[in-house]
Amino acid sequence: MHLCQGAVYDHIALPHQRDKAMRFLLLIALILSPSVLYAATKGNLENPQPDDYASGIYLISGWVCDAERVEILLDGAQYLEAPYGSERMDTVAQCGDSDNGFGVLVNMANLGAGEHEASLIADGQVIDTHTFTVTALSIGEFADDLSGCAVIEDFPADKKETRLEWTTSMQGFQMSEETDVILPYKLDGAWEADYWEAYLWA
């Protein structure tokens, strides 16, 4: 009778011992492979690009597949929470859904001219880091009494001109018009006709 009771006891106890062993092995595996617990989040810091230029009121933007909190770390010191969840249909292939966009406006003049660094952080994980160069006006962080325009020749194509206008709200120049070049050929030097005379210099 005692042997039968002992056999029944052993038969009941062994599964519990196996469960403890399995839990212990699983714990060891998770400790040795933290990536199982913390899978890398997919994402991309699209603006600014590496070695890019940034000025004025600038939109730091990109996408992250899945996160509770998205932040931009500037120069390793300043954290900016980025509004997250805007529609990005171009991320469906990577993320399986489209509500993955983020963006935050930054006045680059506050950073100062020179080289800076922006890091994309999702739920505490660094996803992407880019170095970029800021060009800032010498008159201060925000200019509210400026006006001006400029014309770029042969842009975006030959015999085209693009007009740029200063925009205070963006603290920079924006494209206002694209036109055909009025004089498609440059006429260097002096030239004249029977009734009038004109001088053109390149």
Side-chain angles (χ1 to χ4, degrees):
M1 179 66 67
H2 291 292
L3 290 176
C4 290
Q5 289 177 344
V8 172
Y9 177 81
D10 289 342
H11 181 70
I12 296 173
L14 284 175
H16 292 292
Q17 292 173 354
R18 284 198 301 268
D19 288 344
K20 288 181 179 179
M22 291 298 295
R23 285 196 296 268
F24 177 77
L25 291 175
L26 179 60
L27 179 61
I28 294 298
L30 291 176
I31 291 174
L32 294 177
S33 304
S35 58
V36 174
L37 288 175
Y38 304 103
T41 300
K42 293 181 181 178
N44 187 17
L45 178 60
E46 295 177 326
N47 296 294
Q49 284 292 298
D51 304 319
D52 211 351
Y53 291 93
S55 63
I57 308 300
Y58 188 91
L59 180 64
I60 297 178
S61 61
W63 57 270
V64 173
C65 279
D66 187 25
E68 295 295 325
R69 182 182 179 90
V70 174
E71 298 171 295
I72 299 297
L73 175 61
L74 294 174
D75 296 328
Q78 181 183 8
Y79 284 90
L80 301 175
E81 184 173 1
Y84 168 66
S86 60
E87 193 78 3
R88 286 288 302 265
M89 294 303 297
D90 59 326
T91 65
V92 173
Q94 295 93 337
C95 304
D97 53 28
S98 59
D99 56 341
N100 304 301
F102 70 85
V104 58
L105 289 171
V106 177
N107 185 351
M108 288 296 172
N110 290 330
L111 298 182
E115 189 174 273
H116 295 275
E117 184 181 83
S119 295
L120 167 60
I121 299 176
D123 296 335
Q125 296 183 57
V126 177
I127 305 299
D128 212 353
T129 298
H130 293 167
T131 300
F132 60 98
T133 300
V134 169
T135 300
L137 296 177
S138 60
I139 59 175
E141 295 176 355
F142 193 90
D144 57 6
D145 56 355
L146 294 181
S147 63
C149 67
V151 175
I152 304 177
E153 296 181 349
D154 296 326
F155 184 86
D158 189 33
K159 299 180 183 179
K160 291 287 187 179
E161 289 182 345
T162 300
R163 183 182 177 89
L164 306 179
E165 299 277 355
W166 174 262
T167 304
T168 299
S169 61
M170 298 298 294
Q171 288 293 285
F173 285 91
Q174 304 296 312
M175 292 185 295
S176 63
E177 187 180 21
E178 178 190 328
T179 61
D180 293 326
V181 176
I182 297 175
L183 293 174
Y185 302 102
K186 297 184 184 297
L187 303 176
D188 297 337
W191 54 280
E192 63 181 66
D194 291 339
Y195 302 105
W196 48 271
E197 184 174 308
Y199 294 89
L200 297 178
W201 289 271

